[in-house]
Amino acid sequence: MRVVAGRIAHFRNLDEVRLQPSGHFNAFLGPNGQGKTNLLEALFFVSALRPLRAVPRRALLQHGAEESRIQLDVHRQRTGLTHRLELRFRKGSRRLLKDEGTVNTADFLGHFVTVAFTPDDLDLSKGPPEQRRRFLDRAVLNAAPSYLEHALRYQKAMKERNRLLADQGSESALRAYDEVLAREGLELAQRRWRFVEDWAPEMAGAFARIAAPAPPVQVCLQTEVEFEAGVDGYLEKLQESRARDRARRKTSFGPHRDDLALVLGDAPARERASQGQHRAMALAMKLAELKHTSHRLGEAPVLLLDDMSSELDEARQQNLFAAIREVDGQVMLTSTSDPASVARTLGTASELRVHAVRDGAISIEEDQGSLSP
């Protein structure tokens, strides 16, 4: 899939921006603080309906503006159709439109899919478990938008169950939420497990390529949920943990405690991996997600790459961009480098469109004769 045109209004420092991207490589270049990452965040916001960075959604609305709009014309290779997707939001509300008609979240998600790399992701392999759970949930959701409904039902039931635990609610009330948690929790854990089974070999291969030379990496899902026991077994675990949960006032069993176990060679990656190897793992996780999602969708999602090379040594930069050159889809990357340097790095200037970003304004560079028109 690819963005063929776009318009962004009153999003962070992007006042009124129009996009005319190439169907393959697009580099958004300029000094720091000009709006490059804000552009990628706008694209990601349409695909995921959440911010790219850990900021409140109200921070995405331009100061002094009443409403922000992000409008994208997205072409789907698999169907041959182009859809107009639009996200409008104000403080406390939002509106989703597809082909000029208002739609709900379920009908909006899945029409524009992105895989994003940001400098924050470079600590993915050594950060807290919730960071890896967010990665898992986003990756599963990209390939199957229906995952969101299960995740939302699970989160709502757990929130209510925790409230009852804190208020010393009745056993009958807790059992009602236990049944929802068991059904939805089992579904979440199973979907995550199936994703990891398919994705892990790709991740290991990508790591070997980026980090070489390095010991092999192994990855698996750590979950307390026993799939063979089914919903009844899940309910038994919730009952067994009831006294502990009442004392702690929160639910202590379920996929909200899942994690990815990463082993480098014969030791946990957290203990053994160097800083460079941790970064290579994070990149490998994302590249493998890109390949997995492409296979599941029957077309490549859009890759968003936010100045990742600035955090890598020269050898890993070369390995990363060698992998990116093979991406069969649209790529949107940001950099503070000059156009000639980016073209040399990608090694494919004939397929590269350079966009200059200055003070929240975006324009196509006109002085690069080898670039696509």
Side-chain angles (χ1 to χ4, degrees):
M1 62 183 66
R2 61 188 178 91
V3 178
V4 295
R7 179 185 174 189
I8 303 169
H10 310 307
F11 184 91
R12 287 191 175 268
N13 78 325
L14 305 178
D15 185 43
E16 185 71 37
V17 167
R18 292 187 181 274
L19 296 179
Q20 295 177 288
S22 160
H24 201 187
F25 292 106
N26 293 272
F28 297 89
L29 309 183
N32 290 325
Q34 302 302 303
K36 302 187 302 297
T37 300
N38 293 342
L39 170 65
L40 297 193
E41 186 148 48
L43 298 176
F44 184 82
F45 197 27
V46 173
S47 73
L49 300 181
R50 67 175 179 85
L52 178 61
R53 295 168 286 187
V55 298
R57 295 184 184 185
R58 64 179 180 274
L60 304 179
L61 183 64
Q62 189 177 65
H63 181 69
E66 293 186 0
E67 181 181 71
S68 177
R69 295 188 179 191
I70 311 168
Q71 182 186 91
L72 303 177
D73 293 340
V74 179
H75 181 75
R76 300 296 301 271
Q77 180 184 18
R78 184 171 59 84
T79 63
L81 300 176
T82 298
H83 295 288
R84 173 161 290 181
L85 304 176
E86 186 170 350
L87 168 59
R88 304 177 186 177
F89 67 97
R90 298 167 174 258
K91 291 181 179 178
S93 68
R94 75 180 183 200
R95 185 181 177 194
L96 306 175
L97 296 96
K98 174 177 171 284
D99 299 328
E100 312 296 343
T102 300
V103 294
N104 59 28
T105 300
D107 291 332
F108 189 86
L109 285 174
H111 291 287
F112 178 50
V113 180
T114 65
V115 172
F117 290 7
T118 74
D120 290 343
D121 292 321
L122 289 171
D123 289 332
L124 189 56
S125 64
K126 66 176 182 178
E130 54 265 29
Q131 193 173 357
R132 289 181 289 280
R133 285 195 293 272
R134 283 195 298 270
F135 162 78
L136 279 173
D137 288 338
R138 185 67 219 161
V140 176
L141 179 61
N142 270 343
S146 63
Y147 182 78
L148 178 64
E149 298 175 13
H150 298 286
L152 291 177
R153 285 195 289 265
Y154 181 84
Q155 291 170 7
K156 182 178 179 180
M158 189 172 68
K159 180 179 179 180
E160 291 302 316
R161 186 180 192 270
N162 288 346
R163 181 184 60 80
L164 286 172
L165 291 169
D167 295 342
Q168 296 300 309
S170 68
E171 285 293 304
S172 60
L174 284 169
R175 278 196 297 272
Y177 287 110
D178 284 357
E179 291 175 3
V180 179
L181 285 179
R183 183 176 63 254
E184 303 299 342
L186 183 63
E187 182 71 21
L188 294 185
Q190 287 177 327
R191 290 199 184 202
R192 286 175 178 175
W193 182 83
R194 287 195 294 267
F195 165 78
V196 173
E197 284 288 293
D198 291 340
W199 162 86
E202 293 290 349
M203 184 272 181
F207 175 78
R209 180 176 181 182
I210 297 171
V217 66
Q218 301 176 60
V219 58
C220 67
L221 179 68
Q222 283 185 329
T223 184
E224 304 168 315
V225 180
E226 298 174 358
F227 304 140
E228 298 83 0
V231 171
D232 289 340
Y234 198 120
L235 287 169
E236 288 180 10
K237 291 289 187 180
L238 288 175
Q239 184 60 45
E240 290 171 3
S241 64
R242 180 83 88 241
R244 180 173 66 249
D245 290 354
R246 283 190 181 277
R248 297 178 179 179
R249 300 187 174 189
K250 64 181 181 180
T251 304
S252 61
F253 173 82
H256 61 282
R257 291 165 50 87
D258 285 356
D259 197 2
L260 283 172
L262 294 155
V263 177
L264 185 63
D266 57 0
R270 184 183 293 274
E271 301 173 4
R272 179 170 181 175
S274 66
Q275 180 72 356
Q277 288 169 336
H278 276 299
R279 290 178 170 179
M281 279 185 216
L283 290 167
M285 290 168 73
K286 292 287 188 165
L287 287 174
E289 179 196 354
L290 183 71
K291 191 166 185 178
H292 174 271
T293 305
S294 299
H295 176 72
R296 291 294 301 271
L297 295 180
E299 59 186 336
V302 175
L303 173 61
L304 308 178
L305 183 64
D306 187 25
D307 203 21
M308 295 291 290
S309 61
S310 65
E311 301 289 334
L312 303 174
D313 59 41
E314 185 176 353
R316 290 190 172 91
Q317 283 187 39
Q318 293 176 355
N319 292 340
L320 170 63
F321 281 105
I324 291 172
R325 285 195 293 270
E326 297 176 1
V327 171
D328 183 24
Q330 192 175 49
V331 178
M332 309 279 196
L333 64 90
T334 68
S335 178
T336 57
S337 301
D338 61 89
S341 175
V342 172
R344 285 195 303 271
T345 301
L346 287 173
T348 177
S350 62
E351 300 179 81
L352 170 67
R353 180 170 292 174
V354 172
H355 310 254
V357 183
R358 296 289 188 281
D359 295 324
I362 299 174
S363 60
I364 298 174
E365 292 280 78
E366 300 291 346
D367 59 345
Q368 301 294 317
S370 63
L371 301 180
S372 57

